[in-house]
Amino acid sequence: MARGYFGIGVWHSKSEVNIGTLWRTAYSYGAAFIFTIGRRYKQQPGDTTKTWRHIPLLHYADLADFKAGLPFECRIVGIENCEEARDLDGYHHPERCVYLLGAEDHGLSAESLAVCHDLVRIVTPLPHCLNVAVAGSIVLASRRRQAV
């Protein structure tokens, strides 16, 4: 069994469908929790796998609330397509971390990028942004392959 823990979440998520998809994927890949910062979506009415019974969905009002609620020595890994980011391929996933994804319509803000310990990007053959739930799934699959 891998050491440590991880959580995954979205800053200012716009769509309840993406939160639901990310929640189910996070559960499948062994996340300890998922979270949102600055809720902009309605609660998802249907969860066929009843994921809420297995891992919690935490809500933080803002970045200060989020940082105050992080576990001890938990690294924040921002997932963003920017020049400063390292490629996901070859990235060494921390033993204890949270992955922070940006909103579907505008990514991570400058303020949210500033709180990240690491920045990671998913390189794609075409220069298009990925759906937030898909991006999160790719990151979790990468972590699983590495088996921290």
Side-chain angles (χ1 to χ4, degrees), residues 16 47 53 75-76 93 120 136 141 144:
E16 69 275 1
D47 177 8
R53 292 180 178 175
R75 296 187 63 79
I76 303 169
H93 295 268
V120 176
R144 174 75 173 147

Side-chain angles (χ1 to χ4, degrees), residues 15-76:
S15 167
E16 69 275 1
V17 172
N18 283 331
I19 294 299
T21 300
L22 185 60
W23 202 351
R24 289 185 297 277
T25 303
Y27 170 56
S28 295
Y29 278 100
F33 59 92
I34 74 164
F35 62 91
T36 61
I37 303 171
R39 185 190 304 195
R40 284 196 310 163
Y41 64 92
K42 298 176 197 145
Q43 192 67 27
Q44 185 174 355
D47 177 8
T48 58
T49 59
K50 301 201 183 329
T51 309
W52 55 268
R53 292 180 178 175
H54 307 286
I55 63 171
L57 169 59
L58 308 172
H59 300 287
Y60 300 102
D62 53 32
L63 285 170
D65 186 30
F66 167 64
K67 284 183 67 178
L70 283 179
F72 180 70
E73 290 194 6
C74 181
R75 296 187 63 79
I76 303 169

Side-chain angles (χ1 to χ4, degrees), residues 66-67 70 74-78 91 96-100 112 115-119:
F66 167 64
K67 284 183 67 178
L70 283 179
C74 181
R75 296 187 63 79
I76 303 169
V77 180
Y91 176 70
R96 297 169 311 282
C97 72
V98 292
Y99 298 101
L100 179 58
S112 59
V115 303
C116 295
H117 296 101
D118 295 332
L119 294 174

Side-chain angles (χ1 to χ4, degrees), residues 100-111:
L100 179 58
L101 299 150
E104 296 89 346
D105 51 356
H106 49 74
L108 292 173
S109 68
E111 182 185 13

